[in-house]
Structure formats: structure tokens, C-alpha cells
Amino acid sequence: MKIKIILSLFLLAFCSAQTKNFVARQWNIEDGLPQSSIRCITQTHDGYLWIGTWNGLARFDGVRMTVFNALNTPKLHPSIIDIYEDKQHRLWIGTDGGGLLQYKNDSLVWLDSADGIPAKVINSIKEDSAGNVWFGTDNGVFIYTENRFIHFSTANGFPNFPATWVIPSRDGSMYVQFIRAVFHVRLSSKPAEKLGDSLIFLDEPFSTGGYRIDVDTSGAVWYSVKEKGVVKRIGSNEYIDKRFANVNPKEIFILPNQQKWVMTPQGVYLLENNEIHNHRIIDGIDCSSITSVFEDREGILWIAVEGAGLIRLRAKQVETITVSGGLQTNEIMCGMEDRAGTVWIGTWLGGLSYRKPGGKKFAAVPLLSNGTSIMAMSQSVDGMIWVGTWAHGVYIIDHGKVKKFLGKGLTDVITIRSIVSDPRGGVWIASAYGAIGYYNGEEEKIWDSQNGLPNFMINSLLLAKNGDIWSGTDGGGVIRISKGIVSILNSSNGLIDNFVHVSIEDNNRAVWLASRRGLQRYLPVGSLAGNNGMLSTVNSKHGFDDDPAQFTQDVEGNYWIGGTHGIHRIRNRDLNEAADGTLPSLSYLTIGKSDGMPVLECSGGNNQHVWKTSDSALWFSTTHGAVRIDPRSVASNPVPPGVIIEQVQIENLPVALDSEIIIHPQETKIEFHYTGINFSAPEHIRFKYILEGFDDHWRDVANVRFAQYTNLAPGRYTFRVKAVNNAGIWNEEGASIDLLVLPPFYATWWFRALFVIFFFTVGPSIYFLRVRQLKREKEKQVEFSRRLIESQESERKRIAGELHDGLGQNLLIIKNKLLVALSSKKTDGESHHIEEASDVVSSTIEEVRSISHNLRPHQLDQLGITKTLRSIVRQAKESTPIEFSTEIQDIDGALSSEEEINLFRIVQEAFNNIIKHSGATKVNINIFQNENSITVKISDNGKGISSSAGFGISGMHERAKMFGWKLIIESNPNQGTSLSIIL
């Protein structure tokens, strides 16, 4: 017994050491699953995963779950045992108590005894190579062939037990598993009248102890026997792998990639290439009670763990180094590999750590304290490691000894952002606060604001192959020091963002600059100043919409960019063609959490956040550790996403997905809901769509999964959508659906025909009616002109009478008084007559003024329109008992002289009407000016205007019409009158 325990422990230890590195992603009830215990998983031809649980069925596209259960699908029994899609794309669903169902045309159809299959428990469903579908049930075996079900049971040689599994073999035969025996059979190519004669038994039945069997591509049968091991059966011969004897093997699943997954109480064992890997804990998930394993068409593994929902397993594409690997903190700031192969990592508040070649863990360097933040490092030609810190200056590590470096311009408390070494033995050091120093033991030189550097924080340094130093700043653009001369590149001469860091000089000797607005490539074709052809941009307009925080190039020339949404690989040719303007849209591979990244965001702002090592690996900095990628081992994703239009809604209501969607005239809004199915990284699927006949280009909508259009013109359209996976592989065919937008009745041919008939019949009547209307309007105009002439004549008559009766008489009296004065001999009499003449002259002057005022108010010329209007109000207050409420803003200079006199006349006429005819006791007048107009509003509480309004009202309208003003008069009997003028 002790020996068995020891062997078991040895096997477990051996297997654990060989465990594959998987990334697990889990979906459960809160993610949309109908129940947490999954019994079966399959994938249909359109790419969907179908998941059967104890409480319903789910269809999964990688992002969304569509659930079918007893609540929304009454025919569905909630307990699902097996799901299978045959070659004709029929989806069969077996239940535990509800019989067999078939899913087609987006609905479930229940099959029962009337269809030839009365069984209530459907345990297993598979298809043989001839296209016959086999069903293992509680009542024997049913086979669906030639559009009918054939039943095989005890009468045909099977035992009186439920058939638990049906497993196809590649030679067209089937293995049918019962509780105590497995039968190897084949269906005759031509079923006989006696159904039993249609079944051919190939081998003697054999026992497996009741555990599940599976068949590999060679035709060998695999199963497990308790305390015996894993059995491989070829024909009647059994080969036992006793390495599993002490771990109680149970179920076996053979995947399309020929991995054998063996379920045991100690977890799942993976048998691959004669190696065994134990997976009790996979990425933190307890996998000791796996109930199902499934491999999809992308090679992704899906497992069901009792009570733990759906789990996706993907091989890790990255390695993460954290505190568990010896670091003091997980927030990485910089790193490098020295010429001896030692990897150095600087952290925030965690000091400096190193790992020698062949080492498993990192060790700390006693540099100040563990609370030191390391910002930059570089190895000089003499082998010394230069280390820049935050607020603690520069240190040198020389053969394991740490010492302080205080060069020109450096202090104990200075913050260093970047360090680079040059081949002449010197080092370049950038402090955070706008200074760059060069030190080589013999020479020390500083560049700062006195040498032309902008007074902004420096974030990065790059030594180009020609010896130029490039530096990025936070707000001051890019600095280049060439042969000691400083030049600046910023937004005034081509830079898209002044907050920029210098990333790399690539294999083509182009310098790449990175900012939150994208990448810019500088080609060394001349000086910075005045050269408009040197910079080109790659950003969201090319389909790359991430922040390029970390940027490097692998040994094959591919570019790798760490951003806020993962790490992206772009082919060298593609990125440069996009920069050249010859490639409008980029495709690239994205590595994210599904590939093992601890967090999507890569730390940014310094080109030393990413580094390469001699084994071709790329290292990226994150706040959750250092991420190491071997570009040569990164698996691409060659499977394009399946694209499906799942639903079309018109006015928010779903419609049937027919070959052509009909939109009626009263329907103005249509929505298309689509999906892309690719399970490697569904969160990175991007879409483009176009409505042919409406859009003139494809719309790039990132990961948005619906499109909406409103008020489409009548006609025929085609909606197309396509998608790209995380590796940049497009499904160019995509999905499409046709639309027909029906015209409104007035745009149809029959309506137009009726309109023509109407035009030639009723049209003449309308014409003559319009002619009569124009005649009436002309008669009104003639009548107005007549009344206007009469008014002018009346006014002339009035003025003539006033001149004759008033002014003329007064002048005659003055004449007579003066004659009398001249003829008088007495001094007193002479004085008396002269005084009387003076009084008459004064009266005459007043009368002349009154006449003049009636012809044109002199206040307009002397006081302006504002004071003139206020004068009208004041005179009305003094001459009538009416109570006036006034608010008149200054409108001087806003109107021409002609406009002012006409506004005055309208207001004057309105006041005359109020005083003479309204019987009002209160009047409000408001005149105010805004940006584009002047508004005059006069209202009273009088008796209103009668329907037979006089010539004065018509005159108001004509004056307003002459200048394009809007005059509105509103009046109700005994409710007053309101007059508004908008100028």
C-alpha cells in the first residue's frame, strides 16, 4: 500500500512539473449562462458555441450569451444532456426527460413518437461517415437515415440497458456503449425490411467498467479501468498504461489535436506525445471535477467544471515576472540585458533586481533602500552599469560594487529620466527638469535652456547611429542635438503632439516618435528646420487607435507596440506603407489578457520601459510585472471571425430575416445587430460596415456590434458587414442582407399618373381660381393706392387750411397792427399796438412749429430716435389720464434715417389710436434690442380693434412691409390690443 502511495505521489510530482501554462477565462451565471453545471459543448458551422446545462441551453459568440430555457422556450426540457450538429447543419438537442429537439430557422422543434423517436432520455448524439445520425437513449439506439428513424434494441442484439454513448470511428463504424458492454457495429448501406438485418456487429462486445470511451484517428479505442489504468484497444488487443493505475482514471476525451484528457479525482491529466501533464489547478481554477472537454475550430480548449461554469483554456503567449519571481514590487519602470546576459529590472519603490543567465529568480541589488525608484539604466563600454533614480541621482555598479556618481550638473537629489551609452565610452544622462549631460571621464558638457533646450520635462533619450541625440519632452516637442547644435521639432513645424517620447531608430534608420495622438516617422533626409517631407503619421485613421506607450522592433523587423489595450505586432512593411500613405488600413496581432497578460496597459512615457534580450525576447513594463514575449513562439490566429447578422429591427421591433427586408413609408428607423465569432480574443474583434446605395465608404466602428439608419430614401440597398480578428485576419466576405425601402404613395407611379390626370382636369380650375385671387389682391392694392392718394390730398388740404386760416390770418393781423402803430402819433398807443403784434408773432411761430412737427418731427434730427419715442410717451402721459408703463432701450444708430421716421410714424399712429379710440386705462410699451433685431411691443387694456379697422392700420402694415419688418396686431373685443414690430 505504501508503495502505491509513493508511486502515486511520484507521478503527481512528475506530472505537475510538466504542466502546460494555460490562461483560463471563466463564464458563469452572472455572465449569462442559464446554469453553472455544464453537461455538453459543441460548435456549429456558423461558429457559435452551444452549451447545454441542467437548466437550459446557451448560444455563445464569445461576448454574448443567448439563452433558451423553459421560460422563453416552452417546448424545451431544461436538462440538456447532449448537443450535436450534423453535416446538413441540423442541430440536434438531447434532453434528460424531454426527448429530442431540433433547432432550425431560429426555433426549436420537438420530435416525439409521431416522428418515430418516443425516447425521453437522449444520452448521446453522433453522426457516422455516411451521414446517418445515431442516438443513444434510455430505450436503445435510434438512427436517423433517409428521413426516418430506425429503432435498435434488445430485439436486434443490444442489451436491455440505456445506451450511454455513441462514438464514431473513421472507418464508418460506430461504438455503442451500454453500462456493462461496448458494441462495435455498422449500419448496412441498404437497410432491409427487417430492421434487425440492417445492423452489422463487427467485434465481440467488451467491458469498460461503465466509463466513457473515445476513438482516436487511427481507430483505436481508449477507455479507463478503475485501479487498472488507461486502456488503448486495437481490435481485440488491450494495451494498458499503468501510470494511471493509482490515480483512479474515469472519463477519457480525445480531442481533434489528438490530446487525451483523462478525468480523475486528482484533477485532469493530459496525455500528449507520451508525456503526462496534471491540471488540478489551471490558472487558479480548481479542475478536479471536469465533466466535459471540447476543442473548437481555432484549437481553443473549452472545459466544463462541475458548478464552475464554462472555462476557456489558451496556451500562454507571454511570461510574466512579478514578486513571485524575486522582484521587490510589480510596478516596472525600466530594464536591460548586459553583455554578460544578466537581465536587470528597475521598479518603482522596489529598487533594482537582476537575474544571471540560467537563473530562475531575480535578486535585489542593495542600492540605497528597497524604496528607491529606478528610472533608467545603461551599460557603458567599460562594462559599468549606470543607474538613474527618482530624486536620488545617479549610481554606478562596477563589478558588484555600488557607488555614487556626481558629474557636472548632477546632485544627490536629482531625478533622472533616461541614460544611454555611446560607443566612444561616454554616457548621456537626461534629468527630469530640462537638462541633458554628456560624461566620458575626460569631458563633461551640459545642454539646458541656455543652450536652446525648451524648459520642459525630458522623458526619453535615443542615440542614433549617426551620433545624434534625440530627446522627447512633456510639452516641448522633440530635441535633437547634432554635433553639439540643438534643434527643436514641435507642433509649429510638423509634430502632432508636443507631449512625445522618442522610441527607436529602426532597421531603416527611421526615428519613430510616439504620443497619445499616434506614431510619427522621421526619415533622415535633411535638417529639422524647414523640411516638410520628413515626418509622416500613423494613427487612428489607419485603424490603429491605441496609445503607443512602448515601441520596439524584433529580430525579423516586425514592430511591437505596447499600449493601453495590449501589445500589438505590426509587420514592418505594413507600418511603413501606412506611414507612406499607400496602405489606408492596418492589420495587426494584438496580445491581451486572453494570452496571459496580467493587465492590458503597458507603462508609458519612456523608451526604456521596453527592452530586448539576446535570446530575441521582448520585455514590456506594466504595473503588474514585466511581460516577456518570445516573438518566434507567438502563435498567430489564422481563422477569420465568422460574421453573422443576428437581428434586424424596424422601429425597435425585430423582423424576419428574409432574403430582402421590406421597409414601409411610415417606418423611418432600421437597426442591424451583428456579431463576429472568434474565441481567441473576442474583445479585439473589429468591424466595418457599409450600406450600399447610401454610404460612399466602409465605416470603421471598432467593436460596436450594431448599425442604425434613419429616413432612407426609397430604393434598394444592401447592408454588408465584415470583421477582423486579433491577428489582423479579415473575413472579407462577411455577411449581407438586402433592403427595399418602399416609396410613399405620392412617389409611386400610380399616384403620378393620377396627378397627371388631375393636372389636366382640375388644374385649369385651380388656375382660374388663382387668377381671380390675384385680381382681388390687385383690386385691394388699387383701393389702397386710391385711399393713399385721398389721404395725401386730405393732408394737403389740412396743411393749406392751417396755412390760410392760421398763419395767413396771423400775418394779416401783424400787418394791420404795424400799420396802426406807424400811423399813431401817441407814444402809449404805439407801444400798445407793437406789444399786440409781438404776441401774434409768438403765436404764429408756435403754429409754424406745430405744422413742421406734423410734417417731420425735428427731435429725430436733434435728439435721435430713442429720445423721440420717449418724448411721445411723455406727451401722452401729460395729455391723457391713461397710465403708461415704459421700458425703452437705446436703439440709436441701429436704423437708417428713413427707417427711423417710419418707425416713429407707426408708433405715433398706434398712440393716436389708443388715445382716441381704445378707451384704455393702461398701456405698456417695450422697446429692446438683441444681436440681430429690434422689437417694439405696445399693448393696452382697451376695447380692442373692430373688424373694420381704418386706413391707419393699413398704413402701418404698408410701412412695415416696405422695410421687410414683421408687424403683428392681436386684438380681442374688450380684452385690449397688442402690437408687435420686429425690425
Side-chain angles (χ1 to χ4, degrees):
M1 184 64 180
K2 290 182 179 180
I3 295 175
K4 286 186 176 182
I5 295 174
I6 292 172
L7 288 173
S8 177
L9 293 174
F10 172 78
L11 178 60
L12 287 173
F14 169 75
C15 294
S16 298
Q18 300 294 323
T19 296
K20 279 200 169 184
N21 210 358
F22 284 109
V23 183
R25 166 73 163 90
Q26 191 171 16
W27 286 265
N28 221 314
I29 293 176
E30 56 269 24
D31 302 301
L33 271 177
Q35 209 263 347
S36 61
S37 292
I38 294 173
R39 305 185 71 180
C40 52
I41 306 168
T42 197
Q43 186 175 29
T44 48
H45 69 283
D46 49 19
Y48 285 115
L49 277 189
W50 289 78
I51 303 128
T53 75
W54 285 102
N55 191 33
L57 185 66
R59 188 183 69 189
F60 187 41
D61 66 359
V63 174
R64 297 176 296 205
M65 298 269 187
T66 301
V67 173
F68 304 85
N69 55 27
L71 295 176
N72 58 25
T73 312
K75 290 183 179 181
L76 179 65
H77 190 279
S79 181
I80 310 298
I81 300 180
D82 200 11
I83 315 168
Y84 185 80
E85 185 186 46
D86 63 23
K87 295 183 181 70
Q88 297 185 38
H89 300 161
R90 296 172 297 201
L91 186 64
W92 304 89
I93 302 162
T95 70
D96 188 1
L100 179 66
L101 294 98
Q102 190 180 112
Y103 180 81
K104 57 183 180 181
N105 299 326
D106 292 328
S107 62
L108 287 169
V109 178
W110 184 37
L111 305 174
D112 56 15
S113 56
D115 302 286
I117 183 166
K120 298 299 182 183
V121 178
I122 312 295
N123 295 309
S124 181
I125 311 170
K126 293 293 182 292
E127 184 178 19
D128 63 25
S129 59
N132 306 305
V133 184
W134 295 59
F135 303 88
T137 78
D138 60 342
N139 189 22
V141 175
F142 289 83
I143 301 176
Y144 187 76
T145 181
E146 297 180 356
N147 298 319
R148 60 171 178 158
F149 287 97
I150 303 175
H151 183 208
F152 298 94
S153 61
T154 54
N156 310 99
F158 283 142
N160 189 22
F161 294 110
T164 55
W165 294 100
V166 287
I167 308 292
S169 183
R170 68 172 187 172
D171 62 0
S173 62
M174 297 290 291
Y175 288 90
V176 181
Q177 184 173 12
F178 295 86
I179 293 177
R180 294 184 180 176
V182 177
F183 291 80
H184 188 198
V185 298
R186 180 192 298 275
L187 188 66
S188 172
S189 59
K190 293 183 179 179
E193 291 298 326
K194 293 182 179 180
L195 298 181
D197 296 338
S198 301
L199 200 62
I200 302 171
F201 288 81
L202 301 176
D203 300 316
E204 290 294 322
F206 57 92
S207 176
T208 65
Y211 292 134
R212 183 185 188 276
I213 69 167
D214 214 335
V215 181
D216 65 20
T217 54
S218 69
V221 180
W222 293 75
Y223 53 93
S224 60
V225 178
K226 186 177 181 180
E227 297 183 355
K228 188 174 181 181
V230 171
V231 179
K232 177 181 180 181
R233 184 182 182 92
I234 301 176
S236 60
N237 298 317
E238 292 184 343
Y239 303 91
I240 302 174
D241 189 339
K242 295 183 179 180
R243 291 178 294 178
F244 293 92
N246 297 310
V247 293
N248 271 336
K250 294 183 179 179
E251 310 291 341
I252 290 184
F253 292 85
I254 301 178
L255 305 184
N257 63 13
Q258 293 309 294
Q259 290 179 348
K260 283 81 175 175
W261 287 69
V262 183
M263 312 305 169
T264 79
Q266 290 79 23
V268 63
Y269 286 83
L270 170 58
L271 178 59
E272 182 180 31
N273 298 325
N274 205 32
E275 293 183 357
I276 300 174
H277 309 276
N278 176 244
H279 298 285
R280 181 177 182 108
I281 303 295
I282 302 179
D283 203 13
I285 299 174
D286 186 348
C287 295
S288 58
S289 55
I290 291 180
T291 58
S292 183
V293 180
F294 178 78
E295 181 186 4
D296 69 17
R297 288 194 289 272
E298 297 172 51
I300 297 172
L301 300 182
W302 301 85
I303 64 174
V305 177
E306 189 67 41
L310 179 68
I311 299 168
R312 181 190 65 193
L313 298 182
R314 294 191 68 221
K316 279 189 177 180
Q317 304 271 38
V318 304
E319 175 190 0
T320 304
I321 293 87
T322 62
V323 292
S324 63
L327 300 181
Q328 301 304 304
T329 67
N330 286 336
E331 191 164 354
I332 311 302
M333 300 306 297
C334 58
M336 58 163 277
E337 182 188 45
D338 65 20
R339 287 188 288 277
T342 299
V343 177
W344 302 78
I345 294 180
T347 64
W348 181 259
L349 299 179
L352 180 65
S353 298
Y354 68 97
R355 186 180 70 185
K356 290 186 176 182
K360 299 298 182 183
K361 285 198 171 187
F362 280 80
V365 175
L367 184 68
L368 290 177
S369 65
N370 286 339
T372 308
S373 295
I374 310 299
M375 305 301 295
M377 68 182 77
S378 181
Q379 186 178 28
S380 57
V381 173
D382 56 12
M384 291 189 293
I385 307 298
W386 293 68
V387 181
T389 69
W390 183 274
H392 291 290
V394 178
Y395 289 83
I396 297 175
I397 302 175
D398 184 6
H399 296 90
K401 295 181 180 180
V402 179
K403 58 184 180 180
K404 190 80 174 181
F405 175 77
L406 291 174
K408 182 180 178 182
L410 300 176
T411 66
D412 286 334
V413 295
I414 197 167
T415 292
I416 305 301
R417 291 299 299 272
S418 189
I419 302 177
V420 294
S421 301
D422 72 7
R424 297 177 298 166
V427 293
W428 293 82
I429 299 176
S431 67
Y433 303 105
I436 299 174
Y438 177 74
Y439 311 90
N440 66 0
E442 298 176 357
E443 178 187 5
E444 294 185 356
K445 188 172 182 181
I446 299 295
W447 285 265
D448 55 19
S449 57
Q450 295 182 0
N451 307 95
L453 265 64
N455 192 22
F456 290 90
M457 180 178 287
I458 294 174
N459 57 42
S460 55
L461 283 179
L462 173 69
L463 178 62
K465 294 180 179 66
N466 65 357
D468 290 354
I469 277 288
W470 292 74
S471 178
T473 71
D474 292 343
V478 174
I479 303 163
R480 187 178 74 170
I481 303 175
S482 181
K483 297 179 181 179
I485 299 174
V486 175
S487 52
I488 306 297
L489 179 64
N490 54 32
S491 56
S492 66
N493 54 5
L495 209 60
I496 58 174
D497 194 342
N498 287 333
F499 290 81
V500 58
H501 63 270
V502 181
S503 295
I504 64 166
E505 182 183 30
D506 67 15
N507 300 341
N508 305 316
R509 295 206 169 186
V511 175
W512 289 87
L513 315 174
S515 71
R516 292 186 180 275
R517 296 187 179 181
L519 289 165
Q520 284 192 284
R521 185 190 65 185
Y522 169 80
L523 290 175
V525 292
S527 64
L528 283 174
N531 192 331
N532 296 323
M534 64 187 177
L535 278 175
S536 51
T537 303
V538 179
N539 55 18
S540 57
K541 70 181 181 181
H542 300 94
F544 183 79
D545 53 0
D546 205 351
D547 174 14
Q550 300 174 25
F551 188 92
T552 189
Q553 199 172 19
D554 64 23
V555 293
E556 295 182 354
N558 298 311
Y559 297 99
W560 291 77
I561 302 173
T564 56
H565 298 98
I567 298 173
H568 316 284
R569 183 188 67 191
I570 307 178
R571 289 186 293 268
N572 184 309
R573 183 183 64 185
D574 290 352
L575 187 61
N576 280 284
E577 286 183 355
D580 293 337
T582 57
L583 184 65
S585 181
L586 279 172
S587 296
Y588 47 87
L589 170 71
T590 297
I591 293 177
K593 283 190 173 182
S594 60
D595 302 289
M597 285 191 66
V599 64
L600 284 180
E601 184 176 3
C602 294
S603 307
N606 190 318
N607 55 338
Q608 295 187 335
H609 278 80
V610 58
W611 65 97
K612 289 185 285 189
T613 49
S614 56
D615 59 357
S616 302
L618 308 177
W619 297 65
F620 294 84
S621 301
T622 79
T623 57
H624 289 61
V627 172
R628 178 184 177 276
I629 298 177
D630 183 353
R632 298 166 300 180
S633 63
V634 170
S636 187
N637 181 10
V639 181
V643 184
I644 300 171
I645 299 174
E646 293 186 312
Q647 191 180 74
V648 176
Q649 293 182 1
I650 297 178
E651 301 296 335
N652 299 322
L653 296 175
V655 297
L657 296 181
D658 297 326
S659 57
E660 186 175 63
I661 303 295
I662 306 297
I663 303 177
H664 296 90
Q666 69 275 16
E667 296 168 338
T668 60
K669 185 175 78 171
I670 183 169
E671 282 188 1
F672 303 91
H673 294 260
Y674 51 82
T675 189
I677 304 177
N678 194 271
F679 294 108
S680 292
E683 66 276 10
H684 291 300
I685 294 176
R686 294 183 293 125
F687 298 90
K688 288 183 179 180
Y689 66 74
I690 187 172
L691 184 62
E692 293 178 350
F694 181 84
D695 293 322
D696 57 3
H697 65 279
W698 286 85
R699 301 190 187 192
D700 191 335
V701 292
N703 59 357
V704 175
R705 296 179 180 237
F706 75 94
Q708 183 184 99
Y709 291 87
T710 57
N711 298 311
L712 293 173
R716 294 188 180 275
Y717 303 87
T718 299
F719 177 77
R720 300 187 186 278
V721 57
K722 58 184 181 180
V724 63
N725 67 11
N726 67 314
I729 306 300
W730 282 94
N731 182 335
E732 293 289 353
E733 181 180 357
S736 64
I737 195 165
D738 294 326
L739 310 180
L740 173 60
V741 180
L742 298 177
F745 71 92
Y746 53 80
T748 56
W749 67 268
W750 56 267
F751 180 84
R752 291 173 180 171
L754 288 176
F755 180 78
V756 171
I757 297 172
F758 175 85
F759 179 80
F760 285 105
T761 55
V762 182
S765 301
I766 297 175
Y767 169 76
F768 291 118
L769 181 65
R770 178 59 178 163
V771 168
R772 285 195 297 271
Q773 182 181 7
L774 292 173
K775 284 183 178 179
R776 285 195 297 269
E777 290 179 358
K778 186 174 182 180
E779 290 171 357
K780 287 182 180 179
Q781 188 66 32
V782 170
E783 175 63 16
F784 176 81
S785 299
R786 183 186 64 77
R787 295 179 66 183
L788 181 60
I789 293 171
E790 290 178 355
S791 174
Q792 290 173 342
E793 293 299 324
S794 176
E795 183 68 10
R796 289 173 180 170
K797 183 178 180 180
R798 184 186 66 78
I799 294 172
E802 289 180 355
L803 292 174
H804 180 272
D805 298 336
L807 187 60
Q809 291 295 331
N810 288 341
L811 292 174
L812 181 61
I813 291 171
I814 292 170
K815 175 183 177 183
N816 292 332
K817 292 290 184 183
L818 293 174
L819 290 174
V820 172
L822 290 172
S823 62
S824 175
K825 300 296 184 180
K826 296 180 178 179
T827 304
D828 293 341
E830 182 180 348
S831 175
H832 170 72
H833 288 296
I834 291 174
E835 288 176 357
E836 288 180 348
S838 175
D839 292 339
V840 173
V841 169
S842 297
S843 174
T844 302
I845 291 171
E846 288 299 321
E847 190 166 356
V848 170
R849 287 175 176 171
S850 176
I851 294 171
S852 172
H853 180 75
N854 288 333
L855 293 175
R856 176 173 174 84
H858 62 87
Q859 295 100 321
L860 283 176
D861 300 320
Q862 297 176 359
L863 305 177
I865 183 64
T866 303
K867 290 184 178 179
T868 301
L869 293 175
R870 290 172 179 166
S871 175
I872 294 177
V873 178
R874 185 171 60 253
Q875 292 174 6
K877 284 183 178 180
E878 294 172 353
S879 61
T880 67
I882 299 174
E883 179 183 343
F884 285 84
S885 175
T886 308
E887 183 178 351
I888 302 177
Q889 294 181 359
D890 189 348
I891 60 173
D892 288 347
L895 302 173
S896 65
S897 175
E898 189 177 4
E899 288 174 322
E900 287 181 349
I901 185 63
N902 278 276
L903 176 61
F904 172 81
R905 291 303 184 199
I906 292 174
V907 174
Q908 186 183 49
E909 181 66 29
F911 271 56
N912 287 337
N913 287 339
I914 291 172
I915 294 170
K916 293 178 181 179
H917 307 297
S918 71
T921 60
K922 291 184 179 180
V923 176
N924 293 320
I925 176 168
N926 293 284
I927 301 177
F928 53 90
Q929 180 179 3
N930 57 28
E931 184 177 354
N932 299 313
S933 65
I934 296 172
T935 301
V936 179
K937 189 167 185 179
I938 303 171
S939 60
D940 64 59
N941 64 347
K943 61 185 179 181
I945 300 174
S946 66
S947 57
S948 58
F951 180 69
I953 300 295
S954 299
M956 289 183 187
H957 279 289
E958 288 299 321
R959 289 181 187 273
K961 183 177 180 181
M962 183 167 54
F963 291 99
W965 299 342
K966 187 175 182 181
L967 175 66
I968 303 171
I969 299 178
E970 298 176 340
S971 181
N972 292 308
N974 300 319
Q975 294 183 14
T977 302
S978 173
L979 176 145
S980 296
I981 314 168
I982 301 174
L983 295 80

